[in-house]
Amino acid sequence: MSLSSLPPFYATEGEADPLVRLRYFHPLSGWEWYAIEYDGERLFFGLVRGFEEELGYFDRLELEEAGAVRDEGFTPRPLSRVRRR
């Protein structure tokens, strides 16, 4: 899935169970970032799973500079399924 195909910010705001479209992970820390929306440049909105699990914004370039990688095998799925693990 290309970044340009992600919905823009606030496009899924009214959805009860938005679709998670991309996953990044850090192979050493175990942290995961699940993208729901994208600003078209750098910022994603989605689920962050690290010390805590929360919805928020994260920066694609910062993830990549820190060693996080995009999960090319990730299949888009509803947020509720991602939260269940």
Side-chain angles (χ1 to χ4, degrees):
M1 173 169 287
S2 71
L3 295 177
S4 63
S5 66
L6 270 80
F9 282 173
Y10 308 108
T12 65
E13 188 173 34
E15 295 180 24
D17 197 12
L19 190 64
V20 174
R21 298 168 192 270
L22 295 176
R23 174 183 177 255
Y24 282 81
F25 66 95
H26 194 281
L28 299 178
S29 71
W31 281 50
E32 299 172 292
W33 298 264
Y34 295 90
I36 298 170
E37 298 173 344
Y38 185 53
D39 77 349
E41 295 181 27
R42 294 177 58 153
L43 293 178
F44 291 109
F45 175 79
L47 183 73
V48 179
R49 185 178 285 146
F51 296 122
E52 305 270 337
E53 183 177 285
E54 60 188 344
L55 292 172
Y57 295 91
F58 47 96
D59 186 306
R60 177 181 52 83
L61 295 180
E62 288 181 9
L63 292 180
E64 293 168 358
E65 289 172 1
V69 293
R70 184 173 163 182
D71 181 352
E72 296 295 339
F74 180 76
T75 302
R77 60 192 65 140
L79 178 60
S80 62
R81 283 192 46 214
V82 171
R83 284 187 158 163
R84 278 187 266 176
R85 279 198 196 205

